[in-house]
């Protein structure tokens, strides 16, 4: 810790806060979602001849199970019909079918890894890139004699990369530019045509023909059309449903071609999807629409339809008209051992899938042998993983379920004896028991370090809260005589009796080093990753500093209680914590934000009488804007594109801009004659901004029409949209940021600057939300200023306050070109004028509330995936996950810009240090993060797992966003002039 300064400053606190939160956001992945992969296992395969010589795997990217199996009305006849007649014929006459349940995250790479490799890729690995896998793993393709894969460059290379034989897997891919959401794609047709071309090529290529007639080969057809149409047109659209027809017809053609090419019945077919698609055209989270995908298998080695005593149906399949046929659901990872068994290759060594026996049509001996092989393969993983853990633990505790009669050696002998005695059903039953025990054992080893790590991380978060609050109380709360103010207390602390002695400080530092050394020894013995040392270092540092400064902390608390009373102080603390817990609850029930707004609308009733008398219209504005904003968190999350709402939002923003042009410059000029020239210039800028809002509304309206007509994104519209984005986004940074501009002018310029961008990225009511949120924030700022003007909070001592005013007036005069020291009513507050009080907890918690509203006002609190990708189609339709994600983040951040800018001005208006209110919110928001940390789940339903991950990540990222946005708000707000609140209205000092 020697590199840290002995005297902590606000800047250093922010730096430490960023490092801490960036490090600790990874903690849930190290605790709950560490990589399940181990290496060094022996391979296992069934010795008996396989039922199939070749396998065809179809993966319809982004296909929901219900959309495939349901009957849909024909547009012409209005009769109910299937969109996949061939696949439905297979279900009813030739094969087995069901629902494949995926895990989160429901993205393409983890879905394909589960299908083809048989294990669930950990979430932390998914964050490490799209194109290639961050870890090496085995797969069915790698174990095949040869695999031909057709489709997307985003998926195919990950299975060719790292294969034991680079020539074993051929990848036939279309260019990335083909993945265009704006026009009717031909991606699936391209795949089917290339497959046909491969068979045609074999007629003249003898070597290829020989490979194609080998055993244990695989054809993989990745069909991306449904995913692109789902993103661009939503999964209930005709484009999506018609794409199912294209896929179905292509699969039928492939089946007929292979039957004619091989002239045998030794081909096995598996059709499934990597993930589903939500109603908003997005995926990634654990919503059932994303986790339930179809699986249909037929051909060699596949059991036919089960029509006697059909089973497996529930409410989900009630409207499919398939009740006469048994539904066999599987976990997504179960598909890999099924495919390996069908063509007789080694089971992928990392697979945790369980062989779905209802799909397998083979002799009892083969079924039992396949199940035994599946069990041995999972048991091998347990054995290797246990030995690795045993070598790194000082006191290892083995999993009790796989000892004694169920030890690996005993299991192998017992099951083999049952198979030799032809007791196949008993062998299968024993394998099922042992396999479940193996999975429990792998789970036990996977979670072995949970208690240790969760304790360390909890100590870290609690330590940060205490550490940062200690800094805030010592820096921004008076700890000496009240007349000293914030500056006086800083000087007084240099000689405070409460400061720890050098000897005591030295002892605490030595103790901290000893504690860290003990943990380092433990982590070294466990061969822990380097990041684990950082997990330990933070709480050791935080708590050691808290011990060193405990007397000053207690003195600050005592002074606060003495100055403001025990009841008021405890009430402020308790109310603050309750408010944070309400925000936690709002993540699970979005409507709670609306309830909060209803209570906030009544806030003016509780204001002081003199505030109510002088602020009637302002209170009305606050209540109306709160009620308006409350509507949006009650509206359905699943919203489609609505031209009328987009147009209405654009017109509303344009109208508000016109009102601002007519009213605001006049108000500013009347309040401060020195701002007349600045007001005129600002009026011209605002008129230009209103014109950009109008142009954006026109462009979006035309773009929506073009995309809906499937005509693509017009080049002119795209060019103008990009030009507007760059021009309007640069206005706040090039105009007024470095000049002494009145705060009201500044806020309006910022509001109008981001309005065109928000319109361009809107698909429904987002622009209307932007207006109401902005009105609420401005009303909040004005009300807080009014309340402060009527309060009895004491500013600095007269001499220091006079010095501040003299400096500020000189600065204002210099900026306006006047050399005289006029008595301007505006000052530039660049340093603290008073300490924090319990009453300042209100604006701090309001800030956290508005930050959450800014993020969740138009989105689903369950997931980042709820923010529709359609928003970016006005700027680009070519698939690029990172670029599109960046544009989406810009849209998400715009309301943050407004909140942080208003909060920045509010701090200056309340005579507070620039960092004080912000740091108070930053220090305490981890109360929410700690809640979500313990609510993270890696079991239960996929929705629960995905929701818990999203909640923790959003809460943690909110802290980082807030830090970055606070720095950005300094650039946005600039050197604004803030009128001295209530000068001449305050009670005279004694």
């Amino acid at each position: 810790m020697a590199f840290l300064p002995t005297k902590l400053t606000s800047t250093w606190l922010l730096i430490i806060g960023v490092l801490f939160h960036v490090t600790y956001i990874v903690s849930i992945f190290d605790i709950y979602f560490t990589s399940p992969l181990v290496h060094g296992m022996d391979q296992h395969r069934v010795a008996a001849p396989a039922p199939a010589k070749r396998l065809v795997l179809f993966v319809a990217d982004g296909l929901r199970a219900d959309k495939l199996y349901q009957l849909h009305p024909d547009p012409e006849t209005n009769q109910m019909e299937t969109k996949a007649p061939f696949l439905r014929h297979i279900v009813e006459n030739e094969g087995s079918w069901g629902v494949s349940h995926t895990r989160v995250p429901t993205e393409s790479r983890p879905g394909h890894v589960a299908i083809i490799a048989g294990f669930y890729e950990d979430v932390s690995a998914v964050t490490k890139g799209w194109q290639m896998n961050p870890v090496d793993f085995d797969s069915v393709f790698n174990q095949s004699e040869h695999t031909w894969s057709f489709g997307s460059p985003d998926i195919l290379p990950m299975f060719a990369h790292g294969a034991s034989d680079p020539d074993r897997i051929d990848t036939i891919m279309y260019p990335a530019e083909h993945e265009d959401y704006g026009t009717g794609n031909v991606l699936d047709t391209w795949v089917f045509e290339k497959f046909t071309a491969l068979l045609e090529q074999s007629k003249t290529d003898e070597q290829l023909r020989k490979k194609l007639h080998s055993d244990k080969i695989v054809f993989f057809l990745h069909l991306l059309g449904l995913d692109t149409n789902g993103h661009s047109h939503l999964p209930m659209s005709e484009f999506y449903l018609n794409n199912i027809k294209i896929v179905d017809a292509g699969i039928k053609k492939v089946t007929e071609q292979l039957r004619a090419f091989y002239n045998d019945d030794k081909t096995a077919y598996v059709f499934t999807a990597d993930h589903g698609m939500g109603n908003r055209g997005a995926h990634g989270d654990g919503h059932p629409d994303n986790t339930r995908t179809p699986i249909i298998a037929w051909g060699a080695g596949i059991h036919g339809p089960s029509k006697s005593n059909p089973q497996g149906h529930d409410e989900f399949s009630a409207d499919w008209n398939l009740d006469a046929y048994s539904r066999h659901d599987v976990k997504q990872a179960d598909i890999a051992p099924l495919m390996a068994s069908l063509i007789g290759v080694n089971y992928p060594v990392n697979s945790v899938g369980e062989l779905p026996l209802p799909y397998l049509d083979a002799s009892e001996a083969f079924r039992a042998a396949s199940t035994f092989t599946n069990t041995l393969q999972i048991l091998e993983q347990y054995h290797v993983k246990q030995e690795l853990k045993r070598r790194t633990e000082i006191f290892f505790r083995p999993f009790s379920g796989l000892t004694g009669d169920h030890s690996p050696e005993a299991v192998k002998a017992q099951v083999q004896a049952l198979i030799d005695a032809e007791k196949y059903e008993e062998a299968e039953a024993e394998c099922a028991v042992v396999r479940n025990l193996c999975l429990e054992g792998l789970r036990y080893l996977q979670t072995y370090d949970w208690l240790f790590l969760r304790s360390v991380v909890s100590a870290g978060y609690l330590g940060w809260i205490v550490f940062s609050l200690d800094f805030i109380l010592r820096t921004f709360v008076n700890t000496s005589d009240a007349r000293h103010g914030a500056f006086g207390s800083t000087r007084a602390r240099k000689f405070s009796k409460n400061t720890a002695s050098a000897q005591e400080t030295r002892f605490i530092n030595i103790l901290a080093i000893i504690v860290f050394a003990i943990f380092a020894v433990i982590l070294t013995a466990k061969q822990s990753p380097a990041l684990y040392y950082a997990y330990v270092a933070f709480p050791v540092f935080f708590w050691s500093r808290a011990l060193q400064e405990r007397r000053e902390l207690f003195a600050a608390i005592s002074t606060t209680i003495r100055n403001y009373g025990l009841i008021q102080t405890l009430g402020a603390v308790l109310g603050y914590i309750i408010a944070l817990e309400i925000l936690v609850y709002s993540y699970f029930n979005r409507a709670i934000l609306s309830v909060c707004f209803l209570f906030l609308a009544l806030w003016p009733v509780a204001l002081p009488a003199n505030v109510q008398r002088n602020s009637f219209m302002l209170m009305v504005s606050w209540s109306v804007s709160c009620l308006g904003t409350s509507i949006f968190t009650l509206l359905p999350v699943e919203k489609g594109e609505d031209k009328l709402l987009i147009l209405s939002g654009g017109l509303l923003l344009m109208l508000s801009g016109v009102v601002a042009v007519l009213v605001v410059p006049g108000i500013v000029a009347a309040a401060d004659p020195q701002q007349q020239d600045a007001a005129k210039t600002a009026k011209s800028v605002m008129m230009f901004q209103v014109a950009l809002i109008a142009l954006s509304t026109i462009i979006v309206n035309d773009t929506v029409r073009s995309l809906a007509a499937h005509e693509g994104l017009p080049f002119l519209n795209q060019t103008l949209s990009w030009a507007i984005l760059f021009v309007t986004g640069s206005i706040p940074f090039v105009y007024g940021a470095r000049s002494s501009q009145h705060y009201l002018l500044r806020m309006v310029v910022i509001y109008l600057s981001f309005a065109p961008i928000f319109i361009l990225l809107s698909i429904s009511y987002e622009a209307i939300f932007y207006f109401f949120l902005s009105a609420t924030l401005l009303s909040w700022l004005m009300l807080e200023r009014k309340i402060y003007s009527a309060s009895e909070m004491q500013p600095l001592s007269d001499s220091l306050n006079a010095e501040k005013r003299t400096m500020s007036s000189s600065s204002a005069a210099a900026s306006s070109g006047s050399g005289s020291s006029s008595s301007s009513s505006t000052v530039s507050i660049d340093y603290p004028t008073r300490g924090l009080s319990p009453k300042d907890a209100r604006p701090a918690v309001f800030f956290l509330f508005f930050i959450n509203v800014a993020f969740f006002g138009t989105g689903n609190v369950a997931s980042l995936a709820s923010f529709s990708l359609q928003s970016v189609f006005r700027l680009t339709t070519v698939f690029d996950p990172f670029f599109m994600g960046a544009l989406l983040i810009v849209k998400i951040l715009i309301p943050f810009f407004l909140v942080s800018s208003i909060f920045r001005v509010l701090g200056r208006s309340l005579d507070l240090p620039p960092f004080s209110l912000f740091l108070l919110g930053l220090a305490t928001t981890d109360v929410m993060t700690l809640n979500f940390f313990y609510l993270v789940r890696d079991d239960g339903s996929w929705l629960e797992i995905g929701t818990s991950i999203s909640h923790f990540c959003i809460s943690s990222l909110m802290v980082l966003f807030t830090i970055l946005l606070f720095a950005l708000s300094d650039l946005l707000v600039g050197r604004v002039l803030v009128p001295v609140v209530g000068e001449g209205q305050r009670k005279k000092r004694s």
Side-chain angles (χ1 to χ4, degrees):
M1 312 297 177
F3 67 92
L4 293 171
T6 55
K7 181 175 177 56
L8 192 65
T9 63
S10 298
T11 302
W12 269 107
L13 184 70
L14 289 178
I15 292 172
I16 294 171
V18 170
L19 292 175
F20 169 69
H21 287 94
V22 167
T23 302
Y24 265 48
I25 197 173
V26 186
S27 64
I28 66 160
F29 302 120
D30 282 333
I31 296 172
Y32 300 100
F33 302 99
T34 54
S35 176
L37 295 186
V38 288
H39 300 283
M41 289 82 70
D42 293 333
Q43 294 183 326
H44 298 273
R45 57 178 293 183
V46 180
K53 291 184 176 181
R54 65 199 72 91
L55 170 77
V56 184
L57 172 64
F58 304 98
V59 176
D61 202 305
L63 176 59
R64 280 167 48 165
D66 56 345
K67 296 304 178 184
L68 176 73
Y69 293 131
Q70 285 173 342
L71 300 177
H72 304 275
D74 183 87
E76 297 179 359
T77 64
N78 206 30
Q79 298 293 319
M80 301 301 289
E81 65 172 16
T82 176
K83 296 294 182 180
F86 176 73
L87 289 174
R88 194 172 183 91
H89 168 81
I90 295 296
V91 167
E92 295 174 347
N93 298 280
E94 295 185 27
S96 295
W97 69 284
V99 173
S100 170
H101 296 276
T102 78
R103 283 194 182 181
V104 291
T106 45
E107 297 290 351
S108 292
R109 186 173 76 185
H112 282 87
V113 168
I115 293 168
I116 299 166
F119 75 91
Y120 301 106
E121 189 176 32
D122 61 291
V123 181
S124 60
V126 175
T127 66
K128 298 177 183 177
W130 260 70
Q131 299 297 325
M132 294 292 180
N133 256 329
V135 291
D136 292 329
F137 59 86
D138 193 16
S139 71
V140 173
F141 295 172
N142 185 52
Q143 296 297 335
S144 69
E145 183 66 26
H146 199 91
T147 293
W148 289 268
S149 56
F150 307 81
S152 169
D154 297 319
I155 300 300
L156 271 53
M158 72 177 68
F159 297 101
H161 175 69
S164 56
D165 182 359
D167 296 328
R168 178 170 293 168
I169 302 175
D170 287 349
T171 56
I172 299 97
M173 304 175 291
Y174 41 72
E177 295 76 27
H178 280 29
E179 300 176 8
D180 190 333
Y181 292 138
T183 58
N185 68 76
V186 292
L187 302 181
D188 298 343
T189 304
W190 187 96
V191 168
F192 292 128
E193 288 175 351
K194 290 300 179 182
F195 177 82
T196 301
L198 178 74
L199 298 184
E200 289 295 323
Q201 182 183 346
S202 68
K203 295 178 180 179
T204 57
D205 188 334
E206 186 60 31
Q207 186 177 4
L208 174 60
R209 183 174 180 81
K210 185 177 180 181
K211 281 185 178 181
L212 288 173
H213 281 81
S214 302
D215 292 348
K216 301 179 175 60
I217 62 172
V218 176
F219 299 102
F220 170 44
L221 281 71
H222 175 242
L223 308 168
L224 188 62
L226 284 160
D227 188 72
T228 57
N229 273 315
H231 283 310
S232 56
H233 300 289
L234 307 183
M236 66 287 298
S237 67
E238 283 301 313
F239 294 103
Y240 186 89
L241 297 177
N242 287 335
N243 205 142
I244 296 177
K245 284 186 175 182
I246 295 174
V247 168
D248 182 75
I251 292 174
K252 179 181 180 182
K253 183 177 180 181
V254 168
T255 305
E256 294 171 346
Q257 288 174 325
L258 289 176
R259 186 180 295 119
F261 185 81
Y262 289 109
N263 195 29
D264 62 19
D265 57 356
K266 292 296 183 179
T267 306
Y269 302 89
V270 174
F271 172 80
T272 188
D274 54 346
H275 56 75
M277 180 73 66
N279 287 337
R280 298 186 66 187
H283 54 83
D285 62 13
H287 193 280
D289 287 341
N290 296 329
T291 62
R292 293 186 295 211
T293 61
I295 177 172
I296 302 174
W298 69 99
I302 299 296
H303 203 285
S306 301
K307 299 181 181 180
S308 60
N309 189 26
Q311 299 175 349
H313 290 278
D314 56 20
E315 292 183 2
F316 181 52
S317 57
D319 63 343
W320 297 352
N321 288 356
L322 292 173
D323 296 347
Y325 311 92
S326 287
R327 167 184 154 189
H328 304 293
D329 286 11
V330 301
K331 298 175 183 176
Q332 193 172 48
D334 298 345
I335 299 174
L338 173 64
M339 295 190 297
S341 177
L342 287 172
I343 57 176
V345 298
N346 293 322
Y347 284 45
V349 294
N350 304 118
S351 172
V352 294
E354 301 175 68
L355 181 65
L357 287 176
Y359 283 82
L360 196 60
D361 183 21
S363 65
E364 291 186 353
F366 184 84
R367 287 165 56 96
S370 296
T371 304
F372 186 36
T373 302
N374 184 206
T375 305
L376 290 177
Q377 173 260 318
I378 297 177
L379 189 61
E380 182 77 14
Q381 288 185 74
Y382 170 79
H383 175 72
V384 171
K385 200 161 191 173
Q386 177 179 255
E387 292 307 308
L388 288 173
K389 181 60 69 175
R390 190 193 303 276
R391 291 201 298 267
T392 60
E393 291 296 322
I394 300 174
F395 303 104
F396 177 69
R397 303 180 306 279
F399 177 61
S400 58
L402 288 172
T403 57
D405 293 340
H406 282 126
S407 66
E409 295 75 16
V411 167
K412 293 177 184 178
Q414 184 178 357
V415 176
Q416 188 61 57
L418 290 172
I419 292 176
D420 292 342
E422 298 185 357
K423 298 180 179 180
Y424 300 124
E425 291 187 3
E426 294 180 30
E428 291 175 12
E430 180 65 18
C431 283
V433 172
V434 173
R435 197 165 53 219
N436 289 333
L437 286 173
C438 288
L439 294 175
E440 289 180 23
L442 288 171
R443 168 75 177 172
Y444 169 80
L445 296 173
Q446 192 80 0
T447 61
Y448 193 88
D449 294 324
W450 272 25
L451 178 61
F452 170 75
L453 287 173
R454 288 201 286 193
S455 300
V456 168
V457 171
S458 299
Y461 277 117
L462 292 174
W464 162 256
I465 294 172
V466 173
F467 171 73
S468 51
L469 282 177
D470 170 61
F471 173 83
I472 293 168
L473 289 174
R474 290 186 299 103
T475 306
F476 302 122
V477 176
N478 300 337
T479 59
S480 58
D481 192 278
R483 69 177 181 272
H484 291 299
F487 292 114
S489 64
T490 303
R491 291 195 291 267
R493 276 200 306 274
K494 294 181 179 179
F495 307 103
S496 174
K497 296 177 182 178
N498 299 321
T499 305
S501 66
Q503 184 177 1
E504 185 179 7
T505 300
R506 191 179 305 112
F507 171 76
I508 294 174
N509 286 336
I510 292 173
L511 180 63
I513 292 172
I514 292 173
V515 171
F516 180 77
I518 292 172
F519 277 106
V521 170
I522 295 173
L523 294 175
T524 302
K526 294 165 69 71
Q527 299 181 10
S528 300
L531 201 57
Y532 283 35
Y533 295 86
Y535 294 157
V536 171
F538 278 111
V540 170
F541 169 68
F542 291 151
W543 288 107
S544 64
R545 290 294 292 253
L547 281 174
Q548 291 177 35
E549 296 159 354
R550 66 191 185 280
R551 292 191 181 92
E552 289 188 81
L553 174 61
F554 293 148
I557 294 173
S558 299
T559 303
T560 302
I561 293 174
R562 185 170 62 251
N563 290 343
Y564 302 103
L566 178 62
I567 300 300
Q568 183 177 351
T569 303
L570 289 179
V573 172
L574 182 61
Y576 198 94
I577 294 174
I578 291 174
L580 291 178
E581 291 301 319
I582 290 174
L583 290 179
V584 170
Y585 180 69
S586 72
Y587 277 62
F588 299 93
N589 187 349
R590 191 164 168 254
I592 196 67
L593 296 174
S594 297
V595 176
C596 292
F597 269 118
L598 294 180
F599 280 102
L600 290 177
L602 300 175
W603 178 38
V605 177
L607 296 180
N610 57 343
V611 175
Q612 294 185 22
R613 284 194 303 270
N614 302 322
S615 311
F616 177 76
M617 290 305 299
L618 181 57
M619 292 189 300
V620 171
S621 172
W622 163 262
S623 297
V624 171
S625 58
C626 279
L627 293 174
T629 312
S630 70
I631 296 173
F632 297 95
T633 46
L634 293 175
L635 295 176
V637 171
E638 305 289 352
K639 59 180 183 294
E641 198 164 49
D642 192 319
K643 284 178 60 177
L644 180 60
L645 287 177
I646 298 172
L647 183 61
S648 300
L651 292 175
L652 184 60
L653 293 180
M654 187 167 55
L655 179 62
S656 67
V658 171
V659 172
V661 170
L662 297 176
V663 175
V664 174
I667 293 176
V668 173
D672 185 358
Q674 295 186 18
Q675 286 288 305
Q676 287 185 354
D677 292 339
K680 290 179 180 178
T681 304
K683 185 174 183 177
S684 300
V685 173
M686 286 189 286
M687 291 175 63
F688 175 68
Q689 291 175 305
V690 172
L692 290 180
I693 293 174
L695 181 59
S696 299
T697 305
I698 295 171
I699 291 172
V700 168
N701 183 66
D702 186 65
T703 301
V704 170
R705 179 204 58 76
S706 178
L707 291 174
H710 218 51
E711 298 173 357
L713 174 60
F715 178 75
L716 178 60
N717 290 10
Q718 183 182 27
T719 303
L720 289 175
S721 296
W722 278 108
I724 291 173
L725 187 146
F726 283 112
V727 170
T728 192
S730 64
I731 289 176
F733 301 99
V734 299
Y735 167 70
R738 297 296 94 191
S739 62
S740 298
Q741 190 176 45
H742 191 279
Y743 82 96
L744 193 56
L745 286 176
R746 191 71 192 146
M747 292 301 98
V748 172
V749 167
I750 292 173
Y751 163 71
L752 295 178
S753 291
F754 293 119
I757 302 177
F758 217 68
I759 293 171
L760 289 174
L761 297 175
S762 292
I763 64 168
S764 184
Y765 53 74
E766 297 99 311
I768 305 176
F769 165 76
Y770 179 78
F771 166 78
F772 277 101
L773 177 64
S774 302
T776 306
L777 291 172
L778 187 58
S779 301
W780 173 48
L781 171 62
M782 304 299 289
L783 268 178
E784 289 286 3
R785 287 171 54 82
K786 290 285 187 180
I787 295 170
Y788 181 57
S789 70
S791 71
E792 299 182 8
M793 296 182 187
Q794 296 295 324
L796 285 171
S797 61
D798 292 340
S799 61
L800 191 57
N801 207 34
E803 178 187 355
K804 176 202 68 133
R805 288 200 174 115
T806 300
M807 294 172 60
S808 301
S809 298
S810 300
S811 174
S815 65
S816 63
S818 173
S820 62
S821 179
S822 63
S823 57
S824 172
S825 64
T826 56
V827 296
S828 180
I829 303 171
D830 296 324
Y831 51 84
T833 62
R834 69 174 177 88
L836 285 169
S837 76
K839 291 184 179 179
D840 292 317
R842 183 190 63 245
V845 79
F846 271 38
F847 169 67
L848 294 178
F849 172 74
F850 283 123
I851 282 289
N852 280 272
V853 172
F855 187 75
F856 297 133
T858 59
N860 179 4
V861 297
S863 171
L864 291 169
S866 67
F867 296 93
S868 175
L869 199 61
Q870 282 182 299
S871 300
V872 305
F873 291 161
R874 292 93 165 91
L875 297 167
T876 182
T877 55
V878 177
F879 177 69
D880 186 331
F882 298 106
F883 182 59
M884 289 180 161
L887 289 173
L888 195 56
I889 288 174
V890 169
K891 176 185 176 182
I892 294 171
L893 288 181
I894 286 175
F896 279 76
F897 296 155
L898 291 176
V899 177
S900 59
S901 298
I902 288 286
F903 197 59
R904 185 77 163 173
V905 174
L906 179 62
R908 300 185 184 188
S909 297
L910 302 185
D911 291 335
L912 286 170
F915 284 101
S916 56
L917 276 180
F918 166 73
L919 290 178
L920 181 59
L922 176 66
T924 52
T925 189
D926 275 333
V927 172
M928 298 171 57
T929 306
L930 200 54
N931 272 271
F932 293 127
F933 173 74
Y934 276 98
L935 291 173
V936 171
R937 301 186 58 176
D938 69 337
D939 58 356
S941 72
W942 310 132
L943 178 60
E944 293 169 333
I945 296 171
T947 299
S948 69
I949 296 171
S950 295
H951 285 172
F952 175 80
C953 290
I954 291 170
S955 181
S956 299
L957 289 172
M958 203 76 78
V959 174
L960 300 179
F961 273 147
T962 305
I963 293 174
L964 295 174
L965 288 170
F966 188 75
L968 181 61
S969 69
D970 191 43
L971 297 175
L972 285 172
V973 172
R975 297 171 54 195
V976 296
L977 297 175
V978 182
V980 175
V981 178
E983 190 167 11
Q985 299 178 18
R986 289 185 181 280
K987 293 185 177 182
K988 296 297 183 182
R989 294 167 170 272
S990 58

